[in-house]
Structures are given as C-alpha cells and as structure tokens.
C-alpha cells in the first residue's frame, strides 16, 4: 500500500525515480529534463516559491475560500475535500510581505471569481522542513481500483453489473485511440491533427482522457507562456494559473456551473483556436506537444510498471487481460463511473474515506502536513487534517485596495479528518448487455447480466 502511494507522489527537487513500463520512447527523466531546460518557465518546477517555503520549515500562510463561514463558526470545525488532493483542505499559498499577505495568482483568481465566498488565512507551523512531495491524481488509478475491489460489496449486484458494462463499453469504443496512443508513446509517430481528433472522439467514452488532455494543455501553457503577465508571476516564483482557467471556460460551456473535465474534448481545429486565443505564439506547437506528451503520460498512468508498452493492445483484449496490463486506466474509469451512480451520494464516504485514510497515513509517515497537487507544482496546496505534529491557526481575511490580505477575526476551529459532502449528477449513458467473453474493440455478445461475483473486476490485483 505504501508503495502505491509513493508511486503516486512526485518530488521535483530530486531526479525522477518512478518505475515505468518498458519500451517508452522517452523516460520520465527525459521529459523532466526537457521541461526544465527547454521551456521558458521550466525552472519553476524545482525553484518555485511554494517549494522553497516547504523546504524552509518555517510557518507558512495559506488561503482558503469558503461559502460556509457561519457553519465553521458554529461547529468550530473545518472539513476537507476529496478531489485532486484526496483528503486535504484545498488552499493556495500566501507570501508574507511587509505590506501584508500577497495571494498566489491562483488565490487571486479564486478571490476575484468567487465573490460570494469568505477568504480565510491559515497559518501552518510545521515540526520540521517539509518534503516537497505532491500527489499526482493522474497516477491514482491502481488505488482507485483496489478501493473499489475492497468495498465492492457495498454495491448491489445490479450496480456492479452496471459499472462493468459502462467500463467495457467505454474501453470498446476508445480502444482504437488507446492503441494509437501507445504506439505514439513507444516512438511510432502518427499525424498530430488526426491524433487530436481521435482523442476528442474518445473522451466521451473514457472520461479520464479529458482530465489528461486538460492537464497536458495546462502544462504546455504554463511552461511555454512568455506574456508579461506570466513573466511577472514567474518573477514571484509562480506558474501562471490564469492560463488554464481561461482555457477551461473557453472550451466548455457552463464550466462555471459544473467543472467537469469529462466534457473537455476540443477537436484539432478548435484546439488551435483556443490556444491562439490565449497566446497566439503557442498555437503552432500545441498539437504535436499533445500528441507526444499525452501518449507518454497515458502509458505511464494506465499500464502497470511491469508491462512492456509495445506489447499491450486494447483492441481484441478481454477485460481481465486489460485489467492486469492497465490497472491504472481501469481504476480511473471505475472511479469516474461509480461517482455518477444514482446511489453514490450515499456511498461517497465509504469509498473516498478509505482512500483518504491511506493518504493521511502516508503523509504522516513521510512528514507531510501540507500536500500539494503534484501533477505540476502550480500552487494547489492542501492541509493534512490528520497530521499530529503541526499547529494551525485560522482567521477570516480582509483584502486591502492593493490586493494584500490581512488577518481579521481569529476563528476558533480545528481541521478534522472528515470529508465534506460531495455529489455529482448521474450521467445518462446508453449501456449494453455483455458476457465475460466480450472483447474490447469487438462487438459484445448479447446475453444476461453477469452475476457480480463473476465479474472480471473482482479480486484481480491492482
């Protein structure tokens, strides 16, 4: 279990050490070297202000925005959330300056775009310098799968069958693209425009691809941008979060009402328009970057490290075979399917608390009171509510005319290892009956639903 969580964390201050599948054209180290040395802002991977604060061991100040300040005052508790930080209080850094506490540009974005919320200042005093290890939610697939297998009995046989059908249908529809992506990851380049269009068509069938697509574009924008705005943030040791926020809201209608990256799937022509609308100079290189980077990350996130990427094929493979070869992908699919089930609102804490408990245990043993989003160290940082060796003080915040925050009312409240409620509306999706002989990429054999105990997703090691 510890090894799985270690695999899902990244420390950008040390060389890449993660085990990866064989036959990949580029290693994680190759990509790290390219991003750090060959992009305008790559130096911020190691030398950003957030990492420096973690390594200093000094008290750090974080911004959290909430709609529930009255409930916090009454209960004297702050609950944490799941999402990209698994089970931490979602925050962004504050820089202590003579004029006050300056919000990180991500925090400035949150304050400006969420006017109905109350900004809060949290002072975290750690017991020692903090290892700058961030959790990469793209690498959590094997943990998602193991958690589902452990608590599968919480679902009815019909719900387990529904889940299996959805995963099979998604794999079957996306298998041609998944195989194309693996070929690209092993060095067999295909046309970038066609790759993007195939990716776009596959996202509705495998929602995880939308998250991966968005994170690759976020990385591309933040590391390659050379606008005055980006340069100003870089001088402060920050990657420019406004870039990917603009991308998300321009690409998907009503993203402000439901931020769901399963809906993020621009085709090639639209992708170029979107990137050129944000920073024209970055348009020409984006498709080729997505082709290379997404193929590599998909192989790493999907396949078990023991696999040879050149030998894995999704088309024509049965679910049990794919699960053994690509537990990360199956886990990501299960996670995103299960949370849109009609009854998941009642089961949310069963599945997500199990993962949060493991994350808290890992962070405590690694000396991490403040985990961050390790896909990229862009300023999404949280507070571990179960860390026993740090002190936390909390205030509401007042913002002055220059944008600096100042402590206002100290709040008598503690962070508790309790997940705030979360719910996503069920997805309406056509499903088909399948048997356990069904093959990914091949039309299924119609038949009776499988009994839950015979499901290929039962008991297969992640």
């Amino acid at each position: 279990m510890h090894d799985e969580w270690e695999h899902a964390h990244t420390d950008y201050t040390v060389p890449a050490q993660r085990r990866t599948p064989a036959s990949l054209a580029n290693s994680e180290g190759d990509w790290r070297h390219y991003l750090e040395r060959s992009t305008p802002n790559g130096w911020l991977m190691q030398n950003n202000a957030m990492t420096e604060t973690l390594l200093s061991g000094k008290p750090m100040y974080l911004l959290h925005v909430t709609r529930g300040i009255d409930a916090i005052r009454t209960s004297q508790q702050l609950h944490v959330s799941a999402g990209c930080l698994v089970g931490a209080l979602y925050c962004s850094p504050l820089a202590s300056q003579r004029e006050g506490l300056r919000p990180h540009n991500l925090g400035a974005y949150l304050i400006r775009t969420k006017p109905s919320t109350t900004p809060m200042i949290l002072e975290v005093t750690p017991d020692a310098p903090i290892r700058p290890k961030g959790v990469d939610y793209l690498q959590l697939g094997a943990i998602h799968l193991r958690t589902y297998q452990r608590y599968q009995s919480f679902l009815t046989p019909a719900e387990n069958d529904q889940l299996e059908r959805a995963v099979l249908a998604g794999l079957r529809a996306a298998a041609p693209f998944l195989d194309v992506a693996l070929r690209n990851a092993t060095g067999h380049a295909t046309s970038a425009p066609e790759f993007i269009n195939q990716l776009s068509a596959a996202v509705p069938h495998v929602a995880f691809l939308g998250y991966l697509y968005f994170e690759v574009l976020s990385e591309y924008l933040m590391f390659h941008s050379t606008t005055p705005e980006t340069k100003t943030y870089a001088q402060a040791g920050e990657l420019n979060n406004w870039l990917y926020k603009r991308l998300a809201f321009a690409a998907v209608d009503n993203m402000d009402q439901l931020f769901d990256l399963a809906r993020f799937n621009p085709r090639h022509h639209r992708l170029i328009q979107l990137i050129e609308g944000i920073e024209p100079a970055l348009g020409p290189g984006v498709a080729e970057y997505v082709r290379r980077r997404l193929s590599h990350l998909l192989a790493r996130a999907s396949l078990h490290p023991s696999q040879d990427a050149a030998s894995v094929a999704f088309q024509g493979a049965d679910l049990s075979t794919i699960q053994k070869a690509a537990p990360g992908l199956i886990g990501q699919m299960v996670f995103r399917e299960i949370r849109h089930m009609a009854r998941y609102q009642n089961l949310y804490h069963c599945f997500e608390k199990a993962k949060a408990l493991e994350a808290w245990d890992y962070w405590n043993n690694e000396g991490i009171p403040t985990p961050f989003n390790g896909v990229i160290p862009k300023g999404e940082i949280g507070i571990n509510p179960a860390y026993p060796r740090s002190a936390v003080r909390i205030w509401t915040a007042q913002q002055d005319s220059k944008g600096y925050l100042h402590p206002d009312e100290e709040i008598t409240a503690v962070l508790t290892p309790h997940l705030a409620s979360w719910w996503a509306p069920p997805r309406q999706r056509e499903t088909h009956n399948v048997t356990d002989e069904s093959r990914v990429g091949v039309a299924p054999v119609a038949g009776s639903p499988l009994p839950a105990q015979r499901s290929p997703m039962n008991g297969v090691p992640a």
Side-chain angles (χ1 to χ4, degrees), residues 109-437:
Y109 172 88
L110 295 173
I111 292 172
R112 185 178 301 181
T113 59
K114 300 182 182 297
S116 61
T117 61
T118 300
M120 303 178 71
I121 296 168
L122 292 99
E123 178 191 67
V124 181
T125 303
D127 59 315
I130 301 167
R131 293 192 65 186
K133 298 174 72 171
V135 59
D136 182 346
Y137 79 91
L138 301 176
Q139 301 293 328
L140 291 175
I143 294 170
H144 292 320
L145 180 58
R146 175 170 53 78
T147 304
Y148 163 70
Q149 290 168 341
R150 182 175 181 182
Y151 297 103
Q152 190 172 0
S153 65
F154 288 26
L155 301 179
T156 67
E159 288 170 333
N160 278 300
D161 181 62
Q162 173 192 340
L163 182 64
E164 181 182 321
R165 292 190 210 180
V167 170
L168 274 171
L171 285 170
R172 185 173 62 248
F177 169 75
L178 296 173
D179 286 343
V180 166
L182 286 188
R183 289 200 298 273
N184 277 270
T186 55
H188 302 282
T190 60
S191 161
E194 181 58 26
F195 180 92
I196 300 298
N197 288 337
Q198 288 181 285
L199 167 63
S200 174
V203 169
H205 304 290
V206 177
F208 176 61
L209 293 172
Y211 289 77
L212 197 59
Y213 192 4
F214 178 75
E215 293 293 353
V216 167
L217 289 174
S218 299
E219 175 186 90
Y220 178 75
L221 288 168
M222 286 190 286
F223 284 139
H224 291 83
S225 174
T226 57
T227 65
E229 175 189 68
T230 296
K231 290 178 179 178
T232 297
Y233 293 142
Q235 289 173 359
E238 302 172 5
L239 289 164
N240 184 358
N241 288 257
W242 290 75
L243 297 167
Y244 68 82
K245 296 291 188 181
R246 292 169 187 144
L247 173 68
F249 291 106
V252 182
D253 292 337
N254 301 318
M255 195 67 119
D256 58 328
Q257 298 176 26
L258 178 63
F259 197 92
D260 181 6
L261 292 174
R263 300 184 294 150
F264 184 87
N265 66 329
R267 290 176 59 81
H268 177 259
H269 178 69
R270 179 59 176 151
L271 171 63
I272 303 303
Q273 286 182 328
L274 288 166
I275 299 301
E276 289 183 343
I278 295 170
E279 191 163 340
L282 300 184
V286 66
E288 180 63 15
Y289 186 88
V290 171
R291 181 193 69 78
R292 294 182 62 237
R293 185 63 167 150
L294 187 140
S295 297
H296 173 80
L297 289 179
L298 178 62
R300 269 184 42 205
S302 299
L303 303 183
H304 191 276
S306 65
Q307 294 295 307
D308 184 338
S311 301
V312 175
F314 287 90
Q315 296 183 83
D318 59 59
L319 181 58
S320 179
T321 298
I322 291 298
Q323 185 171 312
K324 292 175 183 177
L329 179 63
I330 299 299
Q332 294 284 3
M333 293 181 71
V334 167
F335 168 62
R336 286 174 172 79
E337 290 293 341
I338 198 172
R339 66 179 184 169
H340 287 280
M341 284 184 163
R343 204 165 62 89
Y344 191 62
Q345 185 176 11
N346 301 325
L347 300 174
Y348 164 73
H349 288 281
C350 303
F351 288 92
E352 298 311 313
K353 188 69 173 280
K355 284 177 279 192
L357 285 167
E358 292 183 4
W360 297 333
D361 179 64
Y362 174 83
W363 294 335
N364 288 353
N365 282 297
E366 293 294 312
I368 302 174
T370 49
F372 62 91
N373 182 355
V375 177
I376 305 171
K378 58 188 178 182
E380 292 182 310
I381 188 168
I383 302 178
N384 169 5
Y387 195 78
R389 303 186 299 276
S390 63
V392 180
R393 294 179 67 187
I394 306 165
W395 297 265
T396 58
Q398 288 290 336
Q399 188 171 34
D400 65 26
S401 60
K402 295 182 179 180
Y404 291 94
L405 295 180
H406 305 273
D408 185 21
E409 172 198 357
E410 184 162 8
I411 302 295
T412 303
V414 295
L415 273 76
T416 61
H418 180 89
L419 295 180
S421 296
W422 179 92
W423 180 72
R427 286 202 183 113
Q428 299 300 316
R429 178 174 293 166
E430 182 181 355
T431 58
H432 304 277
N433 289 340
V434 297
T435 71
D436 56 0
E437 287 81 28

